[in-house]
Amino acid sequence: MTSRILFVRLNNRLGNQMFQYAFARAAMSRLDITQCYLVGQEESRLDCFALAESIQYKDSFDDLPFLTKLAARFMGKLAKLLANHPVSLYKAERFVQPLINFCGVFFCLDGYLPFREKRLRGQNLYCSGYFQSEKYFEDYQDQIRQDFSFSKEIVCSCESLASQIQSCNAVCLHVRLGDYLSSLRHHVCDAELLSAGLHDLWLLYDPDAHFFLFSDAPEQALQIIHNHLVPNHQITIVPSSFTDQQSLYLGTLCRHHILSNSSFSWWMQYLAHRNDQLVIAPRRWMNDSTPVTLYAPSWLLL
């Protein structure tokens, strides 16, 4: 009998692609599958990691059976139709899940839906979504962290700033602006929240904190911070000339983390993985009612 193959759609930027890879890595074990393709028209941003050889990149899912391909395309069209109505899309995904599972498809673009591998039928399977929940891979976290070991090239390319971060009580402060400012759904981190996070960490937990600012608009973010930060602070801007992969690596070296509602932020704190780590995050991840399962019990929510 021919071995089953898993196809997982790969799209969007680095943080989202990492969730998609982590989902695929765990799903392979749960399904007892030895070959997986990350499928997408976008370029893979994961070449900075030591990924499993059994997971490869492919630009199409033409190898899928007709019924599986049909269900996948139907869900893709449904997602486009309801793109501006994420709560409705989530409800639709939940409603049709048993039917598309029977066709060999699992689809969860937003929120969290349980991955019930025993319901998936067919030889070749297709999964699509952002899969932004540790629940999809919590039983394989050691393997995921190992796979997301940074290449020597990335480590050596920012050695000077990495040494500075490792020599102090470094706090990763991630401020996502850019496209979030025009998104009613994503723009939840305002100046007051940043101010509360900075004061709580500086005054209550670590008065020797040295903040390292990671942002897609560092000058704008710095202006917000200067208006709200406690006196005598230390802050270093991580240059915007660094790639996402370099910035992610540097963020993982920090001792503590103040997050934006961003998958990029989430992976910084996840790969840092320290026993004494303090993580401060916005209490609302999205401005709608789709379920969010990204929070850890130890986080301080503001």
Side-chain angles (χ1 to χ4, degrees):
M1 182 178 179
T2 306
S3 299
R4 302 171 89 188
I5 300 176
L6 176 65
F7 294 78
V8 175
R9 183 161 183 78
L10 187 75
N11 62 8
N12 217 272
R13 297 169 63 177
L14 179 59
N16 285 323
Q17 290 193 4
M18 291 173 71
F19 272 112
Q20 289 153 4
Y21 174 90
F23 170 88
R25 188 72 154 114
M28 288 178 67
S29 297
R30 294 173 65 174
L31 291 160
D32 194 23
I33 286 178
T34 58
Q35 181 63 60
C36 174
Y37 290 107
L38 299 176
V39 184
Q41 296 298 318
E42 295 185 36
E43 179 183 357
S44 170
R45 301 170 186 259
L46 304 175
D47 56 356
C48 58
F49 301 119
L51 304 183
E53 294 182 0
S54 57
I55 300 181
Q56 300 174 7
Y57 182 77
K58 198 177 180 112
D59 60 5
S60 73
F61 52 78
D62 292 337
D63 296 338
L64 289 173
F66 172 77
L67 193 59
T68 306
K69 195 183 301 184
L70 185 66
R73 286 175 173 163
F74 168 77
M75 292 306 299
K77 290 182 179 180
L78 182 65
K80 287 183 179 180
L81 181 66
L82 298 176
N84 295 323
H85 307 280
V87 176
S88 297
L89 176 58
Y90 173 76
K91 291 178 179 178
E93 290 171 344
R94 187 174 56 186
F95 179 75
V96 302
Q97 208 65 225
L99 177 60
I100 64 174
N101 286 175
F102 183 80
C103 299
V105 173
F106 177 71
F107 195 99
C108 184
L109 196 63
D110 277 311
Y112 170 76
L113 290 171
F115 179 63
R116 297 186 171 95
E117 66 274 11
K118 293 182 180 179
R119 293 186 179 181
L120 290 172
R121 297 289 182 266
Q123 190 62 27
N124 293 346
L125 309 173
Y126 178 79
C127 300
S128 179
Y130 289 119
F131 308 124
Q132 291 188 4
S133 175
E134 190 184 358
K135 289 185 176 183
Y136 288 122
F137 51 89
E138 60 186 344
D139 293 335
Y140 307 93
Q141 55 184 298
D142 291 341
Q143 183 64 67
I144 297 300
R145 288 191 173 99
Q146 180 178 329
D147 287 3
F148 286 148
S149 298
F150 290 90
S151 67
K152 184 177 180 181
E153 180 181 4
I154 292 294
V155 172
C156 293
S157 66
C158 40
E159 193 171 10
S160 176
L161 188 52
S163 297
Q164 183 183 354
I165 290 173
Q166 292 172 308
S167 66
C168 64
N169 294 327
V171 178
C172 170
L173 172 59
H174 184 227
V175 182
R176 175 80 176 265
L177 297 171
D179 57 333
Y180 273 27
L181 295 178
S182 59
S183 172
L184 295 177
R185 187 179 187 220
H186 293 91
H187 185 45
V188 303
C189 297
D190 54 21
E192 286 71 24
L193 186 144
L194 283 173
S195 174
L198 293 165
H199 277 76
D200 281 357
L201 196 146
W202 194 88
L203 293 173
L204 303 178
Y205 194 83
D206 194 346
D208 296 323
H210 184 138
F211 296 97
F212 288 83
L213 173 62
F214 296 78
S215 179
D216 54 351
E219 296 304 324
Q220 185 178 357
L222 190 62
Q223 184 61 49
I224 295 172
I225 293 165
H226 275 320
N227 290 338
H228 293 85
L229 195 57
V230 291
N232 303 317
H233 65 275
Q234 297 184 80
I235 186 164
T236 298
I237 297 177
V238 176
S240 56
S241 58
F242 280 135
T243 65
D244 287 347
Q245 291 87 344
Q246 290 171 314
S247 295
L248 180 67
Y249 165 66
L250 292 169
T252 67
L253 301 179
C254 294
R255 182 170 299 178
H256 308 298
H257 293 78
I258 300 176
L259 309 186
S260 292
N261 54 323
S262 158
S263 58
F264 191 80
S265 274
W266 192 92
W267 282 108
M268 283 179 170
Q269 63 81 33
Y270 185 81
L271 296 182
H273 191 47
R274 287 174 171 77
N275 292 330
D276 63 344
Q277 181 180 16
L278 176 66
V279 177
I280 297 176
R283 188 174 299 277
R284 288 182 298 114
W285 201 264
M286 295 289 185
N287 279 323
D288 58 46
S289 59
T290 50
V292 175
T293 55
L294 287 167
Y295 298 108
S298 61
W299 289 12
L300 175 61
L301 304 182
L302 298 176

